[in-house]
Amino acid sequence: MSIVNSKVLLISERIRERREQLNYTQQYVAGKLKITQNAYSKIECGYSSLNVARMYEIAVALETDIHTFLIQ
């Protein structure tokens, strides 16, 4: 696995962890993002690439700062 892939998976895992801390369902967060639950699931699994704008939208939906997903 490349370093980029491992970093993407780490970010995806942090997104999932934050959602679970809030006890939000994937469906709920997907609704806030105006995407399908399936599309959101792909984000959490690391199958979808994230740009900065989408990461910011996810951070807002999960009531956190984008740095939460990036800083180790």
Side-chain angles (χ1 to χ4, degrees):
M1 180 181 307
S2 75
I3 186 104
V4 172
N5 287 342
S6 64
K7 294 294 182 183
V8 168
L9 289 176
L10 182 60
I11 291 169
S12 298
E13 182 179 319
R14 288 181 178 154
I15 290 170
R16 179 188 50 78
E17 288 172 353
R18 177 62 183 155
R19 176 184 59 79
E20 289 176 346
Q21 285 175 347
L22 296 169
N23 292 315
Y24 288 170
T25 64
Q26 286 186 346
Q27 184 67 43
Y28 177 76
V29 178
K32 290 181 93 171
L33 297 172
K34 296 180 175 53
I35 61 175
T36 66
Q37 182 274 329
N38 188 47
Y40 182 77
S41 176
K42 288 179 181 179
I43 291 170
E44 284 194 1
C45 290
Y47 298 144
S48 294
S49 343
L50 290 174
N51 59 35
V52 173
R54 179 59 82 186
M55 284 181 60
Y56 177 78
E57 292 171 348
I58 292 169
V60 170
L62 295 177
E63 303 166 22
T64 193
D65 189 273
I66 195 169
H67 293 100
T68 302
F69 306 139
L70 301 174
I71 297 174
Q72 291 187 6

